[in-house]
Amino acid sequence: MSEAKTSARSFPLASPPADLYGAFDSEQFTLGALATADPGGLAARLGVAEEAAALAVEADRQGWARASARLLRERPELLGELRRVHANSYLADEAPLHIVDVSAVRPVLCDRPFELTVRYQNAGDVQVALVSVRVGWAGEPFTVEREVGEGEREGRVVVAFGEEQTLPVGPAEFEVTLLRADGAQAGFVRGVHVLPSNPLSLGLAPAGARVTGTWSVRGDYLPASDTFLTECEITLANGDGRAVSMNRRVDWQFWDGRVGTGTLIESGSFDWSGAVSVPANGVWRGGAWFSSPRGSGIFGTYERKEDMTLSVAMTAADGRVVRGEITARVMLAFGVNIIKVGGFGAQEHTDLYDAVDRMRQVYELRDLTLRGVDRRIITDAQAGGYTVLNSETDFRDLLEDWSCRNDFVDVFAVQDFQWGGYNGYAGDIPGPAAKGGRKDGVAVEKTGYTDASGTARLDVTTLAQLIGHEVGHYLGLSHQETTDNLMRSNTGDRGPVLDYDQYRTMFPHGFVFYD
């Protein structure tokens, strides 16, 4: 062993409830009929001025489109409150289908059947016909669908997951869709942490990652200190109805090869700064940094670009030992210039970068991450005709005129595509590892829509996969029609999956670096 040693630091992290675990969960709320609303009660429920609530109710009675337009001209200071009322209500001439909430009937335990309850509102005369749940978890996503029976069409439907649809311990995300016979549909996203049925476990994940799966922690090289920094999240999960107290000591090991059969590279321990108690049917999360200076065994292994296994163990107060393992490697990374072309509203801006974050999570499932995200904008005045791309010539002119002079992939988010049925396009497969010219970059349509409150929004899930798909082309990936693969040609069919061969294909691109 070398004389230099790895040191470790720890810190607690926020621990959301296991049944409300998703970072992108939909908001739970009930729609009210504006026509029959009491302004005082409406104002109190939504936290708006009673005057704004009263004006909204009156506008609905007069005909919302015309009356609200007049209100916004005469009382522009009420715009935010009127939008809030509209977002949480429905108009006299509307018949919305709305999912109020999705929840597990009982805690979701690993390898056990479970049920989800979908509570909804249906203001129309046409009945709900179908419920569909797409499940994102540690493996390939799958979908459970079934018809909604006559006896369960009163605002509540239960979806059962049988023996073949059970899940392992870790995060899972449910994308629920209700469909009405007249074509109306409603969606809702709910994330949970699947709990162990044994009933205590320890899991490891990359720092900041919200995806599921057995992916890798990354070793980041820090030139200023000539060290590699490995950061990971440690999650204790408790499937018991009683809280579990843990000892504060954490033992860690880095192995070359498999734990116990390979070669032990370095090991050590640290203590959490405070008491550790895992709540009943809940999770506790903390983070750890491993700082490995030159001369340490971990530094040398990273420098040789070899994989390691990180093993972490903790002991409960009653003597139970729980252990987690994860691959540690110098992760490949690429950067993106996100270039807004033309006007984006404040919410559209937020949605765009939420989509970029989701795209990063997709690539981290396959051990690639982002070196950085450079945010840029081409204003309407600067963009000229480039806000809407009408031909491949327009697209390539945009690349040539607005190339960014760095070693990141240029991603132009334009207002619309109006040629060939495209909603995204890449300069080449693979794109050049040199800046400038008519092949340098990709473009995507911003996937805009207006929500019920009148706010301009972007479809985050679709846009994340669209950006990831076109960047994948630039890094060398061709279309691949496997179910749920990111590189499927049809936007509606693709998912977040990249396979190992695709990872190896992107490996040598000149904009992909060991970060």
Side-chain angles (χ1 to χ4, degrees), residues 73-358:
R73 288 195 305 270
E74 297 174 357
R75 302 293 302 276
E77 73 277 9
L78 295 178
L79 173 61
E81 294 192 327
L82 289 173
R83 279 182 168 173
R84 180 165 176 76
V85 172
H86 191 202
N88 289 271
S89 310
Y90 62 93
L91 308 178
D93 59 352
E94 292 180 327
L97 176 63
H98 170 67
I99 297 179
V100 176
D101 192 24
V102 174
S103 59
V105 176
R106 292 175 296 279
V108 181
L109 299 178
C110 74
D111 302 322
R112 301 275 181 87
F114 63 95
E115 295 178 330
L116 296 180
T117 298
V118 182
R119 292 196 300 114
Y120 67 92
Q121 295 174 274
N122 180 17
D125 295 329
V126 180
Q127 299 297 322
V128 175
L130 184 74
V131 59
S132 173
V133 183
R134 185 178 188 274
V135 184
W137 60 295
E140 184 174 315
F142 64 90
T143 299
V144 173
E145 291 185 344
R146 74 172 182 84
E147 295 181 352
V148 178
E150 287 290 342
E152 54 185 358
R153 287 176 171 165
E154 300 302 323
R156 178 179 177 273
V157 60
V158 175
V159 183
F161 292 76
E163 295 286 351
E164 294 182 356
Q165 292 125 8
T166 60
L167 300 170
V169 174
E173 183 177 80
F174 304 105
E175 296 182 20
V176 181
T177 303
L178 285 181
L179 296 101
R180 208 162 61 189
D182 61 357
Q185 61 180 298
F188 197 96
V189 176
R190 167 67 73 224
V192 305
H193 196 289
V194 180
L195 300 172
S197 52
N198 61 354
L200 186 65
S201 72
L202 184 153
L204 303 179
R210 293 191 286 265
V211 294
T212 60
T214 53
W215 60 104
S216 306
V217 293
R218 63 183 293 192
D220 286 319
Y221 178 65
L222 307 179
S225 57
D226 198 22
T227 62
F228 274 101
L229 183 68
T230 308
E231 186 177 0
C232 76
E233 291 183 7
I234 300 171
T235 301
L236 294 165
N238 176 20
D240 198 345
R242 295 172 296 176
V244 176
S245 295
M246 305 292 296
N247 296 334
R248 291 167 54 192
R249 176 58 53 93
V250 178
D251 296 311
W252 57 266
Q253 299 173 329
F254 280 80
W255 289 79
D256 182 1
R258 300 188 58 156
V259 173
T261 60
T263 302
L264 179 62
I265 299 170
E266 286 192 75
S267 62
S269 61
F270 61 83
D271 292 332
W272 299 111
S273 58
V276 178
S277 179
V278 192
N281 294 316
V283 296
W284 182 95
R285 297 168 64 239
W289 289 343
F290 300 93
S291 182
S292 304
R294 181 174 293 277
S296 64
I298 293 172
F299 187 105
T301 308
Y302 276 142
E303 194 171 41
R304 294 190 299 273
K305 301 179 178 65
E306 297 175 3
D307 288 357
M308 292 176 281
T309 302
L310 168 61
S311 173
V312 170
M314 292 182 64
T315 304
D318 60 13
R320 285 179 289 171
V321 178
V322 286
R323 187 183 309 274
E325 298 175 5
I326 194 168
T327 300
R329 58 167 58 110
V330 182
M331 189 175 286
L332 296 174
F334 60 92
V336 289
N337 298 309
I338 301 297
I339 308 159
K340 297 186 295 185
V341 184
F344 280 68
Q347 186 60 54
E348 288 181 309
H349 173 90
T350 299
D351 290 344
L352 173 62
Y353 288 102
D354 282 348
V356 173
D357 186 54
R358 278 207 170 196

Side-chain angles (χ1 to χ4, degrees), residues 474-490:
Y474 194 92
L475 299 179
L477 302 184
S478 299
H479 283 146
Q480 207 259 62
E481 299 302 329
T482 305
T483 302
D484 279 326
N485 194 275
L486 183 66
M487 299 311 297
R488 292 196 76 172
S489 55
N490 189 305

Side-chain angles (χ1 to χ4, degrees), residues 491-512:
T491 302
D493 293 334
R494 72 178 59 120
V497 177
L498 289 168
D499 62 35
Y500 183 75
D501 289 340
Q502 290 172 312
Y503 163 75
R504 295 297 303 182
T505 297
M506 291 183 282
F507 197 100
H509 192 280
F511 284 171
V512 175

